[in-house]
Amino acid sequence: MKQIHLRVNEEIYNKIKNEVKIKKTTMQEYIIKTIGKDLTIKESPANYNVRPEKYKFKFIDLFAGIGGTRLGFESAGGKCVFTCEWDKYCQITYEKNFGDKPFGDIRLVDVKVIPPYDILVAGFPCQPFSLAGVSKKNSLGRPTGFLDKTQGTLFFEVARILKGYIDENTGETKKPKAFLLENVKNLVTHDKGRTFNIIKNTLNELGYKIFYKVIDAVDYVPQHRERIFIVGFNKEIYGKNIQFDFPEKPDIPEPTLKDILDDSVDAKYTLSDKLWNYLQEYAKKHKAKGNGFGYGLADINSHSRTLSARYHKDGSEILIPQKGKNPRKLTPRECARLMGFHDDFKIEVSNTQAYHQFGNSVVVPVIEAIAGQIVEVMDNERLNNNLRNNLQKVL
């Protein structure tokens, strides 16, 4: 990334400042976008390290978070050639673990400058569609789904990149062979299914055959966590009869919460008497009203509730019982394990940011399993094409 220092007179400065205020952006983003239009380019992606050295396919990682999806696709033999994530703290964690600082604003990404790749993966923002997100926005009288101007419409940025572009030299359409999108389960039912229908129709119109399924991560990690996964294949390459099956339940021992817990944990993770009393009274109040709201005291021989991005506030959805003491919160490292991250994954942000990041992340083993299925279909189709071509030569 190169830097340019500009000196402008007061009149130009005030005009830029006014435009930034109107467009609700930053000076840097406004200037990059404005200059980019004149030069018919946008900011170029960074050069990424070769990880791993040998790879079967290339992929790009959009709305990358801290890289859970990248880990899953690397395990399937992929090399990440471009990443986009605008949260500055997620960028820190991502760079610490992968050596790459993600591109920031997806709206400034020019599809023509993304390096050649095979698979697009994206966990586009889920707050406009999640049960918690919809409930909060409704209470504030704010729009949800595609009416949410700050996040909901970002799906169409993914669609813009999936659409690709026509190579001016060859006339060939440059677009990915396949994709994986991830979101909250509630996406399917949001706005009586209309939101999801828009997404499906958009992907179909772009020339992809799609498959989708809600998968509970409880078969992979000791956490009840349902997410929808949408897989698509380019019909120009694979035809409209391409078939895909999501992974079956893994043949592994049932994961339990005690498997991811540390033997010794700092006392600071134990709830104070004040907070523990508050959570108990809060639960009693809602139980009397017939509501199910309240803390979750976990069974360490089973699985936990869903880890959320708000876990840092009080840890109430997953509390670990302690003999003779108040229950405690999970540590950030335990949260990482609950999401399927190995212990060599670096956590160098504050506990508050770490909780937020893991609560928003994907479950890595689920991504690994789906990535493996996608790559298997692509490999099989490649082998079938080679066989057909060789047969034609013989005949």
Side-chain angles (χ1 to χ4, degrees):
M1 192 76 71
K2 302 294 185 183
Q3 292 187 1
I4 299 175
H5 299 278
L6 299 174
R7 290 184 180 275
V8 296
N9 61 39
E10 189 171 351
E11 181 182 359
I12 293 175
Y13 176 83
N14 288 332
K15 283 183 178 180
I16 295 174
K17 189 176 180 181
N18 187 53
E19 285 296 307
V20 164
K21 186 176 181 181
I22 293 171
K23 290 180 169 57
K24 296 181 179 179
T25 185
T26 65
M27 277 201 173
Q28 178 176 314
E29 289 178 345
Y30 173 76
I31 291 170
I32 289 171
K33 200 167 185 178
T34 303
I35 294 173
K37 285 179 180 178
D38 289 338
L39 298 176
T40 66
I41 60 169
K42 295 183 181 179
E43 186 180 350
S44 297
N47 290 322
Y48 285 81
N49 295 339
V50 178
R51 273 182 48 112
E53 290 184 7
K54 294 182 179 179
Y55 57 90
K56 295 170 64 176
F57 62 93
K58 296 179 181 179
F59 68 97
I60 65 171
D61 191 9
L62 308 180
F63 301 105
I66 56 175
T69 303
R70 175 168 176 164
L71 288 173
F73 274 80
E74 283 187 344
S75 74
K79 172 188 173 183
C80 185
V81 296
F82 176 65
T83 304
C84 189
E85 169 56 53
W86 75 346
D87 182 281
K88 65 179 181 180
Y89 297 106
C90 285
Q91 287 182 344
I92 291 171
T93 300
Y94 198 100
E95 189 172 14
K96 291 289 184 184
N97 284 280
F98 300 103
D100 310 327
K101 184 174 182 180
F103 186 93
D105 191 342
I106 192 171
R107 295 168 299 179
L108 300 180
V109 173
D110 184 350
V111 66
K112 293 182 180 180
V113 298
I114 296 176
Y117 68 101
D118 303 295
I119 303 174
L120 176 149
V121 298
F124 57 98
C126 65
Q127 288 87 344
F129 312 119
S130 69
L131 290 169
V134 170
S135 177
K136 181 178 180 181
K137 290 174 186 290
N138 283 341
S139 69
L140 296 173
R142 291 171 54 188
T144 61
F146 287 120
L147 294 178
D148 185 321
K149 300 303 182 185
T150 59
Q151 290 179 313
T153 53
L154 289 178
F155 163 75
F156 291 110
E157 292 299 324
V158 176
R160 175 176 67 85
I161 295 172
L162 280 172
K163 181 180 179 181
Y165 67 97
I166 298 176
D167 189 302
E168 295 176 358
N169 296 319
T170 64
E172 180 185 358
T173 300
K174 300 288 187 179
K175 58 196 293 189
K177 296 175 182 177
F179 66 78
L180 171 66
L181 307 181
E182 178 266 354
N183 212 290
V184 291
K185 178 178 107 170
N186 193 47
L187 176 66
V188 181
T189 56
H190 180 265
D191 193 20
K192 299 181 179 178
R194 285 188 283 266
T195 295
F196 194 53
N197 280 334
I198 292 173
I199 289 174
K200 288 191 296 183
N201 291 338
T202 300
L203 296 172
N204 281 320
E205 289 170 6
L206 291 174
Y208 297 92
K209 182 171 181 180
I210 66 168
F211 306 83
Y212 58 91
K213 184 178 181 180
V214 173
I215 296 177
D216 191 342
V218 74
D219 293 326
Y220 298 84
V221 293
Q223 176 189 181
H224 171 62
R225 189 182 191 88
E226 293 181 298
R227 291 294 185 268
I228 184 168
F229 297 91
I230 309 169
V231 171
F233 292 92
N234 187 334
K235 287 186 285 189
E236 291 181 4
I237 298 173
Y238 300 107
K240 62 182 180 181
N241 295 321
I242 185 77
Q243 293 301 311
F244 174 79
D245 295 315
F246 282 92
E248 298 292 333
K249 180 179 178 179
D251 185 18
I252 58 174
E254 183 178 337
T256 61
L257 201 54
K258 66 182 179 183
D259 297 331
I260 63 104
L261 299 180
D262 286 322
D263 294 330
S264 179
V265 172
D266 194 301
K268 69 180 181 181
Y269 295 105
T270 297
L271 300 191
S272 66
D273 290 340
K274 182 178 180 181
L275 178 54
W276 179 223
N277 288 334
Y278 166 78
L279 291 177
Q280 292 179 93
E281 290 301 316
Y282 182 83
K284 286 179 185 177
K285 181 175 70 173
H286 280 283
K287 186 176 181 181
K289 293 181 180 179
N291 298 327
F293 300 117
Y295 63 86
L297 201 58
D299 178 356
I300 65 170
N301 293 306
S302 184
H303 60 268
S304 73
R305 291 180 178 181
T306 302
L307 180 69
S308 75
R310 66 171 296 282
Y311 189 76
H312 68 276
K313 292 184 178 180
D314 54 28
S316 61
E317 68 256 34
I318 307 173
L319 293 175
I320 306 303
Q322 299 186 105
K323 192 173 181 178
K325 293 190 289 187
N326 295 343
R328 69 171 179 87
K329 295 165 62 174
L330 294 169
T331 67
R333 178 57 65 190
E334 290 170 332
C335 288
R337 294 179 193 138
L338 193 61
M339 299 302 292
F341 288 82
H342 294 160
D343 281 0
D344 60 357
F345 190 84
K346 300 182 181 71
I347 306 173
E348 298 187 17
V349 291
S350 69
N351 279 6
T352 296
Q353 288 299 328
Y355 284 133
H356 187 265
Q357 289 173 6
F358 290 116
N360 271 334
S361 180
V362 295
V363 174
V364 177
V366 176
I367 300 297
E368 289 177 351
I370 298 173
Q373 294 291 102
I374 293 173
V375 174
E376 183 177 340
V377 169
M378 294 171 68
D379 284 346
N380 287 340
E381 285 300 311
R382 183 165 55 247
L383 287 172
N384 288 338
N385 283 334
N386 289 339
L387 285 172
R388 281 192 289 267
N389 291 335
N390 289 337
L391 212 70
Q392 286 176 354
K393 289 178 182 178
V394 172
L395 297 174

